Amino acid sequence: MVAIYFKEGEFVEKGTLLAKINDKPLKAQLSKKSHLRFIGCTWFIGRDFASEECRTRRPTNRGKSAEYDKLMADIELVKANIAQTELYAPFDGIVGLRELSEGAFVSPSTKMAKLTQVNPLKIDFSIPESYASEVRDGAKIKFSLEDSEGIMRHHEARVYAIESTIDMNTRTLRVRALYDNPNRSLMPGRFASVEITRREIDDVFIRTEAIIPEMGRNLVYLYRSGRAQPVEIVSGIRTEARVQALSGIQAGDTLIVSGVMQLRTGTHVKIDQIR
């Protein structure tokens, strides 16, 4: 390794020169082969073409033409190898900790440092196979992360790629989303809680503590004319705090959510707060 041009932890743009290895032996080969090409040209002066055309025309003699083509191919190969002695950033990102120093011996498998893309961020997650048909490119997802103060922050991203097959071991489908992170406020590699909206639902959702399981039924109490009135509901989708009520109550009904275990049909109720 001849030179390292980046600093650990710094942001670099695509195309930035990061490092260079020794190219002197390759440049010596290029100089030698270029000299041979010149000799080959002068040898043909006065036979097949004029000297001013030496660099633009190939020899017409078949044997010499083949030698000339091989020489030109060798020169292009050396130039390509010289180009590989310089390492450029393939994309914008942050360079991690350096794994070697100047003067170290390197090979194509040598790890120099990690370059991480920070904008946009890719979010990888998996969903159960039963939901596979309900996720589409462009779908919005929400993900949550704790900040430095322990406060849960919510962010929004969009799905841009979906795996072509279901994982046979986990029976899940891998999905990938993109999140714009221009200020580089989120660090790659963190775990996040992901929430997907399968479809918009207009049904009523109620708080789980309002439900009373009774003899295989789910009952809730509604406030009607100052009294408690029990109503059976049919539940649907559940979240951590709420349950979908498919039938039994409607938007606008007043649901009693506290002290429900002490209620009976017709119990007088005084409402302190409507939420």
Side-chain angles (χ1 to χ4, degrees):
M1 180 66 64
V2 174
I4 297 176
Y5 300 105
F6 65 87
K7 294 181 180 179
E8 296 171 304
E10 74 172 350
F11 177 81
V12 296
E13 296 181 350
K14 178 180 179 180
T16 300
L17 179 61
L18 301 178
K20 183 174 179 61
I21 63 176
N22 184 16
D23 62 358
K24 290 183 178 180
L26 292 172
K27 286 186 174 180
Q29 290 183 37
L30 180 62
S31 177
K32 179 180 179 180
K33 289 184 180 296
S34 297
H35 179 65
L36 289 174
R37 182 180 65 172
F38 177 75
I39 294 176
C41 278
T42 56
W43 189 86
F44 284 95
I45 291 176
R47 297 192 181 187
D48 296 304
F49 44 79
S51 59
E52 62 269 15
E53 298 174 324
C54 181
R55 295 180 181 274
T56 60
R57 290 186 56 189
R58 294 164 47 186
T60 55
N61 180 277
R62 179 173 299 178
K64 294 299 181 181
S65 176
E67 293 179 9
Y68 182 83
D69 288 343
K70 182 178 182 304
L71 180 60
M72 293 300 296
D74 289 344
I75 290 175
E76 293 302 317
L77 177 60
V78 175
K79 288 182 178 179
N81 289 334
I82 291 176
Q84 292 180 358
T85 63
E86 295 180 335
L87 178 62
Y88 294 88
F91 50 80
D92 296 350
I94 294 179
V95 184
L97 301 181
R98 206 167 68 184
E99 302 289 341
L100 48 79
S101 303
E102 293 181 1
F105 176 80
V106 297
S107 68
S109 61
T110 301
K111 180 180 178 181
M112 183 177 63
K114 181 184 291 185
L115 178 64
T116 305
Q117 186 181 55
V118 292
N119 182 37
L121 288 180
K122 294 181 180 179
I123 305 168
D124 286 354
F125 58 97
S126 297
I127 61 174
E129 63 176 330
S130 57
Y131 301 147
S133 61
E134 303 194 33
V135 179
R136 296 285 185 271
D137 288 353
K140 292 182 180 180
I141 69 164
K142 294 180 180 179
F143 66 98
S144 304
L145 292 167
E146 285 189 2
D147 62 12
S148 57
E149 298 177 354
I151 300 175
M152 191 66 72
R153 302 293 183 182
H154 306 287
H155 310 273
E156 190 173 279
R158 284 188 178 274
V159 172
Y160 83 95
I162 301 173
E163 186 59 89
S164 58
T165 59
I166 301 291
D167 188 295
M168 296 296 293
N169 296 319
T170 63
R171 308 308 306 174
T172 58
L173 179 69
R174 289 186 61 198
V175 182
R176 184 168 290 168
L178 283 180
Y179 170 72
D180 290 331
N181 189 34
N183 298 324
R184 305 194 291 275
S185 56
L186 298 185
M187 180 178 292
R190 298 185 61 186
F191 286 95
S193 175
V194 177
E195 178 182 337
I196 303 177
T197 300
R198 296 173 54 193
R199 58 181 181 271
E200 296 296 330
I201 299 175
D202 296 327
D203 295 324
V204 177
F205 277 78
I206 62 176
R207 295 172 58 175
T208 55
E209 60 262 37
I211 300 175
I212 304 174
E214 183 178 290
M215 302 295 290
R217 303 182 302 165
N218 288 326
L219 299 181
V220 297
Y221 279 93
L222 301 182
Y223 176 82
R224 290 177 176 172
S225 301
R227 295 179 181 273
Q229 179 66 43
V231 174
E232 181 180 354
I233 67 166
V234 176
S235 61
I237 299 173
R238 290 177 177 267
T239 66
E240 184 177 350
R242 296 183 182 274
V243 177
Q244 179 189 18
L246 298 175
S247 64
I249 62 175
Q250 300 176 356
D253 288 341
T254 302
L255 180 69
I256 302 174
V257 296
S258 62
V260 294
M261 299 304 295
Q262 287 75 42
L263 295 178
R264 297 293 182 270
T265 302
T267 301
H268 288 279
V269 177
K270 179 181 179 180
I271 296 179
D272 293 327
Q273 183 180 7
I274 297 178
R275 291 181 286 185

